[in-house]
Every structure is written in C-alpha cells, then in structure tokens.
Amino acid sequence: MNSSTLKMKSISIEFPGVKALENVDFTMKSGTTHALIGANGAGKSTLMKVLSGAYNHYAGEILIDDKKANIRIPKDAHSYGIQIVHQEVDTALVPYLTVGENIMLSRTVNDMGKRQLVKWKEIHRNTTTILRSLNIDVSSKKLISELTLAEKQMVLIARTVSTDCRFLILDEPTAPLSHSETKELFRIVQELKNKNVGIIFISHRLPEIFDICDEITIMRNGKLVIHERVANLTTNKVVEYMLGKKLQEQFPKKPSEIGESILEVSNLSDEDKLSNLSMTVKRGEIVGIAGLVGAGKTELCKVLFGEAKMKSGKIKLRGKKLNLANPHQAVKQGIALVPEERRKEGIFVMESVVMNLTVANLGAFTKRLSFLNKKAENQKAIEFINSLGIKTPSKETKVKNLSGGNQQKIAIGKWLIADADVYIFDEPTKGVDVGAKKDIFELICELAQRGKAIIYASSELSEIIGITNRLYVLYDGQIVKEVETDETNEEELLFYSTGGK
C-alpha cells in the first residue's frame, strides 16, 4: 500500500481578542499513530478544526502528498479522506435515528437533490458488517438515544470506517470508555493502521500515548514546541514540554479537620442501576466514589442531585430527610453537582463567561421586584475569573471558545458563587490536562478546608487515591467496599472495581 503524507505548514488563526495558532507546522504519514498533545488552550483542537474544515479563516497551507489541499469546509476535508471523531460525541450523532442511519448518514444524503428510495435493508446489512468487523456488539436498528456514551463513541468510529478514510482524528477517544472498551479501541486503531490509515490521537492520558503512538507533536500557547518519536521521550519530559516547566507535586495536602456527618444515604435504590446503597459524607471530608465506566457512579450523582428518581431509601442532609423531585430543590437545600458531560449538562456553551458563572445564583444580584444588577454581576464574575485562573479574552467571551480545562473551571466556579454545602464532582478531570488538573484538585481541597462536604466520583483510581480521605468502591450499582484511602492502593481498588471478592 502506498503511504500518504500530510503536512500543515505555518498555520495561523485569530479570533476576537486572541491569537489561537501562530505559524504551527504538523507532519505525519498514513499507517502511523501520531499523538497531538498540549495543555488546555495550547491550540491542538483548533489545529485539528482547521484540518477538518471547521475553520476557514486561517493562514498557511495544507499539503497531501506534497500537493496543496484546499480545505475550507468539512466537505473539503472528507474529499481528501480526513475524518474527525469529536470528544463530545452527542454533538456528532442524531439521537432519534438508528445506529445504521447514523453510520450511513453521509451516503444517504449525498444525493439529496435526486428522487430515490432509501434501501433500509441494505443500510442495516452494511452497518452490521462494519460493526462486526470492529467487534462492536450493538444492533444497527437501535436508537442512538438508547446507547451508552461508550457505545456512541464506537458508532462514530464505525462511521469513519464506512468511508474512504486516510487520516482519522480521535479527540480524547478513551475518555468515556472502560478498560476493556479502551483495549478494544486500541485493537481497532491497530487494524486501521494496518489498512494504512493515519491516526491523530489527542489525549491527556499520557500512558496511552506511550502505549499506542509512534510519534508525538507537543503544543503550548498556540505554538509548536516539539515533534519527536515517542520512544525518545519520557512522561516527565512530555509534561515539561507541555507546561514549559517541571510539574510539582500534583495532589495538594488532603484536608484533616473533618467534622460531623452532613449527608447520610441509607439503602438507596434507583429505577435502573443502583441497589441498596448506604454512605455518609462529613464536613470537610472528600469522599471518593471509585468504579469503572458503567459501575453506577453517574447514576448515584444524579439521584443525589434530584436529577434521577429514587425508587427506595433515604437521603438526609444535616439530619433532615430530603425528598428531591428535581435539581432545583437540591440547589435550594445546598447541594451542587459538577456533571461528567460538562458541555451538555454543566455549562451554556453559547453564552458568555459571566452569564455561566452567575447563573446558579442570580438572586444574589437582584433586589426584590427589580432588574438584574449587571454591575454587581460583572464584578463577581471578574473576581472569580481571576481567583480561578480562567484563561479568557473577556468576561463576555462565549464559553464554547474556551479550552476544556477553562470550561471545567467555569462549571465549578458557578457553584462557588452559589456557596453550597455539599459538592458532587462526577469525573471532574475528564478531558483536562495535567496543569488544569492540579488547579482543580486545589479548588476541591480548598472547598473541603472551608468545611464543605465533597463527593468525588471517578474511574481514575490514581486521582481517588491522591485526593480523597475515604472512599466507596462501586461495582454493578452496588457498594462492594468502604475503606480509608490511606489504607488501600490502586491494585486493591481495581480488584474490587472489577467484581473481585
């Protein structure tokens, strides 16, 4: 098979108030896996949006096999065999269509101007063949809205396989996947490499990069830092290139002044996943909820926040029984949730930074029967932009234009203004770089030191060990282990997380 070469030369692009890319070069060959990494805001996603045709006002040129490729819209990128699987999978799929219709979507709309019959049997037959070739156990006739996050990710990858793909961009592909699903994804990546597809792999999980990638390009502040073979680098060196400095101790000192129980959960079951859960959280304590993808962590967080219904059991806050019919009631009682899917559930991506920071506590900026006090709102927003280290050109910048780490700081910041008693964090470092992770850990520990009760749900066992005082291990919707964090290790947690007894 002939190898193709992709070159991006002197790519620059500006947005109002910010220069996102400055003379960036990127080169790779098909049949290889190339890591593209950098801290949040480094410009890696912007560079890939240029390559995939999402942005057209860039300077510089793109070459394929040393011939200029005019890529200004996504259709141009597709014509050159360039595909992208975005981190936020829900934005790329049509929820009310089937798996087969989503995978074959480009084929069914290519001839929209022509009258033609849709061959449904052929669509589902071809889809089933593709799914089987990738070992994806999902029915082609199942609705996208019925799939798990991991299954949606696999469907998107299958859709790229259904086309003539030469270069595939995977943006944080393993973030929603379990260990077994990640292993399966890596198998698929290897198969695509064998078929001479070039894989651009964006990830903040550095061990994955050393496992699967051949070469690496590191960016910082919109500029190229280094392009090197992965085998020539170490994890510590990669972090240094990303941050421009050596990374100090990642986890801050754990809170030690722990008070009385503030949240008590007894024999909680929901209508689907959770069964007979009991737990407590004390003032000033960070309690971990450890478990793999699908264990029930998100379901538990949503029940405690009133977003999902409780079938049986009791939730007590400050000794008072709660009957949470919706999140509004949870917020009134002093419970805050930073959800796993921040773009979908945690922030308003089309609104400004100031609006997102103050939306959970607008009452603080209004007087009875009066209008919103914009001056007070803006002052509070600026205060939190500075204290949280949110990198934004302006308080009026739309949140969609910020990096993942800065979006997550905003998702947390709105609850800091609201000043809740119980903070629930569901996978808070998902899609966040090592530098921003450290900032988030410090924020969480600071909350605990102020006497707040913290629930930290994550499948990242190293984070659970590093930041929590005590933890519960979830497996298949049930708590299978409670332990003081200092008395356990990652190996033991993984043992219980996978059903060990």
Side-chain angles (χ1 to χ4, degrees), residues 33 127 175 192 232 374 481:
T33 304
T127 299
L192 293 174
N232 296 337
K374 291 294 293 182
K481 185 72 173 178

Side-chain angles (χ1 to χ4, degrees), residues 199-244:
I199 310 292
I200 302 172
F201 193 84
I202 303 174
S203 178
H204 291 300
R205 295 176 172 177
L206 298 185
E208 295 178 351
I209 288 168
F210 283 87
D211 282 346
I212 197 172
C213 295
D214 305 304
E215 297 184 36
I216 186 169
T217 291
I218 302 174
M219 296 180 64
R220 186 173 69 245
N221 297 330
K223 298 178 182 179
L224 171 68
V225 176
I226 190 172
H227 171 201
E228 183 60 271
R229 289 197 60 79
V230 171
N232 296 337
L233 295 173
T234 63
T235 301
N236 287 345
K237 201 65 183 174
V238 168
V239 171
E240 275 187 52
Y241 281 127
M242 285 174 64
L243 302 180

